[in-house]
Amino acid sequence: MSIITTQMTPGLTSFLKSVRSRPVESSIEHLISLLKRRQIRNSRPCAIATAHLIRRVVAAYRVTDVGKLIERVQQVGQRLTAAQPKEIAVGNIVRRVLGVIREEAEEDRDGENSGFSEANSDSRPHTPRDGLSPRPGLSSSISTFSPLRHGGLEPMDTSISSAASEDLFMPLDSETNHRPPLLTSHTSYAVTNTAPMVTSMFSLLSHPASNTSSPTATPGTQSPAPRRSLTSNALAALNSAKDLRAEVIEGIEEIIDELDQVDDQIAGYALEHIHSNEIVLTHGSSATVQKFLLKAATKRKFTVIHAESFPNNHEATHSCVIGKQQSDSEDELGHERFSKPLTAAGITVILIPDAAVFALMSRVNKVILGTHVVLANGGLVAAAGAKTIAKAARVHRTPVVVVTGVYKLSPIYPFDFDSLIEYGDASKVFGYEDGDLVGKVDVENPLFDYVPAELVDLYITNL
């Protein structure tokens, strides 16, 4: 009996099904291959694939050193970014994961420091200085962490730098640690036989690097207690990084959930921006724009003028308008492919060629655009034709609204606009059957446009 096996088309769906069962390095190479061959493309599929892969990398990493975990994620992110530099969403997801790791490490370190400071602030003995009577006790309203209570009775704090971590367990020399500082014009005349010099309150800004506590500091803002009182086991616990993989994986899963819910969150603002009897112009097959319009159609009656985005995206635009299913782009819209088309929601849709945009712009109330990525200067990279629409809207003083998820916001500054533009198959513009002209002209088919920030009036995100 023959066994029939089905071969899945390489893409986002097949990658997500194989990422848990494959070895980590094999999954990394698999995603790199899919990105290079453009079998996973556009911001959302690339972001989803990157988040699942990084989660797999973190889960399989067995070293508890946070620094090495960050280095590992950075290496994977650099390989993915080098595989497809045009997909800036890949780098955005890697940066967010690195931010999650650093945030968890900071919270864990702050928790350890606060625990050690609380444990040692009450256990240190407070002996009077030789030859002097102890100072009278202050009011109980002063916190035990305040230097006003123990400032003149405690020895000088000895800070331990990260560069000298190999000397943490070396014995401390009492003579060098109790050596009094030199007198300056800013130091007070406190007794210096065993206590450190007290900095004057009027010269705090002249001692930014001082390790002593400030008399004006508030409770809870003090530096940790002197580390000399800690045992070797406590110091070892400070130096050994805690296994934060569970918290990091939870943070990555929150990013994945955000990617699934981003369109619904943005659509929640639709009723505030689209009003009855308005004429809205859009283009392309953005799932975010589609859900935004469908949400507004639940309580508003308006008209949509839809530019078809020929020649790269016109088929997907037709399916967005009339609901025709696409068979060759499994991951173009993901599960949004099965959303109700605009016409089925009761929206009056007028499908126009791109050349008619300027002629109809005078009748349009607002323009709503999707985006591929939003750059650091406020400009954006969107589907080809977006710049023409934005320029026509500026001439007619029509507001341009861009809907985008936070995962598309990038810190990259567009120093070279041309490097951000991806070019597609030139045969969609000029057929190869016209052999006499193919060798005489240079044909370019840009897939994206760069839209300057001054052409955009409003960004709507999921925050």
Side-chain angles (χ1 to χ4, degrees):
M1 182 177 178
S2 61
I3 300 177
I4 300 176
T5 59
T6 59
Q7 189 74 19
M8 296 187 63
T9 304
L12 177 62
T13 304
S14 61
F15 173 76
L16 295 181
K17 289 184 178 180
S18 63
V19 68
R20 291 182 177 273
S21 58
R22 283 191 174 191
V24 176
E25 194 62 30
S26 176
S27 298
I28 296 174
E29 295 295 335
H30 185 202
L31 181 55
I32 290 176
S33 175
L34 294 175
L35 290 174
K36 287 183 176 180
R37 298 180 180 182
R38 307 304 282 136
Q39 293 172 326
I40 295 181
R41 62 188 311 153
N42 295 332
S43 297
R44 185 199 305 276
C46 290
I48 293 175
T50 303
H52 281 82
L53 177 63
I54 297 298
R55 182 181 64 178
R56 180 77 174 88
V57 170
V58 174
Y61 198 69
R62 301 303 179 188
V63 181
T64 59
D65 189 351
V66 178
K68 293 183 179 180
L69 177 59
I70 292 177
E71 183 180 356
R72 171 62 171 166
V73 174
Q74 287 177 338
Q75 292 175 352
V76 175
Q78 290 173 357
R79 294 172 62 184
L80 296 179
T81 304
Q84 192 50 251
K86 298 293 192 301
E87 296 294 351
I88 303 179
V90 173
N92 294 345
I93 296 299
V94 174
R95 293 185 192 95
R96 291 190 59 178
V97 173
L98 291 174
V100 170
I101 298 175
R102 294 188 178 102
E103 182 180 357
E104 294 295 339
E106 286 288 338
E107 292 179 357
D108 182 68
R109 187 185 66 180
D110 293 342
E112 287 183 352
N113 289 342
S114 62
F116 281 120
S117 62
E118 291 176 1
N120 293 300
S121 60
D122 297 330
S123 60
R124 291 193 302 266
H126 306 294
T127 57
R129 293 167 294 179
D130 297 336
L132 294 177
S133 60
R135 293 182 179 179
L138 298 178
S139 174
S140 59
S141 61
I142 301 178
S143 171
T144 57
F145 293 97
S146 175
L148 296 179
R149 181 180 293 273
H150 305 299
L153 300 179
E154 295 180 359
M156 181 183 299
D157 185 10
T158 304
S159 60
I160 303 177
S161 62
S162 58
S165 57
E166 65 274 6
D167 298 331
L168 288 176
F169 302 103
M170 297 297 292
L172 299 177
D173 188 3
S174 59
E175 295 181 0
T176 58
N177 286 298
H178 292 284
R179 180 180 299 172
L182 296 177
L183 285 174
T184 65
S185 60
H186 299 291
T187 53
S188 65
Y189 294 96
V191 180
T192 59
N193 52 356
T194 58
M197 302 306 298
V198 180
T199 304
S200 173
M201 181 178 63
F202 302 102
S203 59
L204 292 178
L205 297 180
S206 63
H207 297 274
S210 177
N211 290 329
T212 57
S213 301
S214 171
T216 59
T218 57
T221 61
Q222 304 297 325
S223 60
R227 293 176 175 83
R228 291 182 302 163
S229 59
L230 300 179
T231 62
S232 59
N233 293 332
L235 286 173
L238 275 176
N239 292 328
S240 62
K242 179 183 176 183
D243 190 0
L244 301 176
R245 286 182 301 167
E247 290 82 358
V248 174
I249 292 175
E250 183 179 356
I252 298 176
E253 290 177 350
E254 291 178 359
I255 296 176
I256 296 175
D257 294 339
E258 176 190 332
L259 295 175
D260 294 335
Q261 302 171 6
V262 59
D263 288 344
D264 294 329
Q265 294 171 348
I266 295 175
Y269 301 102
L271 297 176
E272 301 177 10
H273 298 277
I274 298 180
H275 308 285
S276 298
N277 301 322
E278 281 190 337
I279 299 178
V280 179
L281 187 143
T282 186
H283 92 307
S285 59
S286 171
T288 307
V289 175
Q290 182 183 9
K291 282 197 172 184
F292 193 82
L293 297 175
L294 289 174
K295 181 65 176 180
T298 58
K299 295 185 179 181
R300 303 281 193 269
K301 293 294 182 182
F302 56 94
T303 301
V304 174
I305 299 178
H306 211 305
E308 64 176 354
S309 302
F310 187 85
N312 299 308
N313 205 23
H314 61 287
E315 294 180 357
T317 301
H318 295 167
S319 67
C320 176
V321 173
I322 63 178
K324 181 173 116 180
Q325 291 290 334
Q326 290 180 273
S327 59
D328 57 343
S329 58
E330 174 189 359
D331 301 315
E332 184 71 22
L333 292 178
H335 62 277
E336 285 84 3
R337 292 189 302 119
F338 304 101
S339 298
K340 184 166 57 174
L342 300 179
T343 54
I347 303 175
T348 302
V349 182
I350 302 174
L351 190 63
I352 64 171
D354 300 324
V357 168
F358 192 88
L360 296 175
M361 186 61 71
S362 60
R363 299 178 178 270
V364 175
N365 297 107
K366 62 172 57 72
V367 175
I368 299 179
L369 300 177
T371 179
H372 181 68
V373 64
V374 180
L375 302 170
N377 66 336
L380 60 100
V381 177
K387 186 175 182 179
T388 301
I389 295 175
K391 282 188 173 182
R394 175 53 57 94
V395 172
H396 290 277
R397 298 296 188 268
T398 303
V400 176
V401 180
V402 176
V403 290
T404 178
V406 176
Y407 70 96
K408 295 183 181 181
L409 304 183
S410 173
I412 297 177
Y413 190 89
F415 293 103
D416 184 10
F417 301 146
D418 294 334
S419 64
L420 303 172
I421 306 303
E422 182 181 357
Y423 292 88
D425 186 7
S427 64
K428 293 183 178 181
V429 179
F430 195 88
Y432 290 120
E433 59 272 9
D434 298 329
D436 296 337
L437 296 177
V438 168
K440 300 178 181 179
V441 295
D442 294 330
V443 181
E444 292 183 350
N445 179 22
L447 301 179
F448 299 103
D449 277 346
Y450 170 74
V451 182
E454 57 267 17
L455 299 181
V456 179
D457 296 284
L458 179 67
Y459 281 101
I460 301 177
T461 68
N462 56 311
L463 291 182

